[in-house]
């Protein structure tokens, strides 16, 4: 039996600016907490936004009933792998220090 139930992966909101974001722990050994915007980026946009402190993530969706999962999108990961690529969320206003 299955009930419609979200795991909290997609319906999070930024506590500072209330933008829809995904927050997930990425990685299995040294997990990194990533909060990303939901807007997919083109390869050109990925090249523009990529900074040492701002990562680009691959939003991997394994199937229609699987919640999306963030994966590393650093090279050699192709920028046009077919899954949406998103980047770290930044508030429009100057962000306060979180954690
Ligand atoms: Zn990808
Ligand atoms: Zn925000």
């Amino acid at each position: 039996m299955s009930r419609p139930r979200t795991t909290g992966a997609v319906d999070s909101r930024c506590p500072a600016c209330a933008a829809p974001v995904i927050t997930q722990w990425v990685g299995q050994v040294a997990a990194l907490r990533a909060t990303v915007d939901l807007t997919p980026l083109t390869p050109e946009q990925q090249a523009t936004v990529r900074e040492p402190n701002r990562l680009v993530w691959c939003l991997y969706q394994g199937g229609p009933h699987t919640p999306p999962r963030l994966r590393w999108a650093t090279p050699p990961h192709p920028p046009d792998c077919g899954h949406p690529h998103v980047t770290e969320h930044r508030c429009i206003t100057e962000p306060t220090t979180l954690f």
Side-chain angles (χ1 to χ4, degrees):
M1 279 206 266
S2 63
R3 285 182 285 172
R5 182 169 179 272
T6 57
T7 57
V10 188
D11 55 358
S12 336
R13 294 237 167 211
C14 171
C17 72
V21 293
I22 293 178
T23 301
Q24 278 183 16
W25 290 94
V26 186
Q28 294 174 340
V29 180
L32 189 69
R33 187 170 176 274
T35 300
V36 300
D37 282 316
L38 298 181
T39 313
L41 301 174
T42 65
E44 292 83 35
Q45 289 172 321
Q46 293 172 49
T48 306
V49 300
R50 197 189 292 273
E51 294 172 11
N53 292 320
R54 192 179 200 192
L55 299 170
V56 173
W57 300 99
C58 180
L59 193 58
Y60 175 79
Q61 182 114 34
H65 304 295
T66 316
R69 292 186 56 121
L70 294 173
R71 313 191 284 187
W72 293 94
T74 46
H77 188 89
D80 55 352
C81 74
H83 295 280
H85 281 192
V86 295
T87 191
E88 214 171 300
H89 170 70
R90 276 191 188 168
C91 298
I92 309 224
T93 54
E94 192 66 26
T96 51
T97 306
L98 296 171
F99 307 108

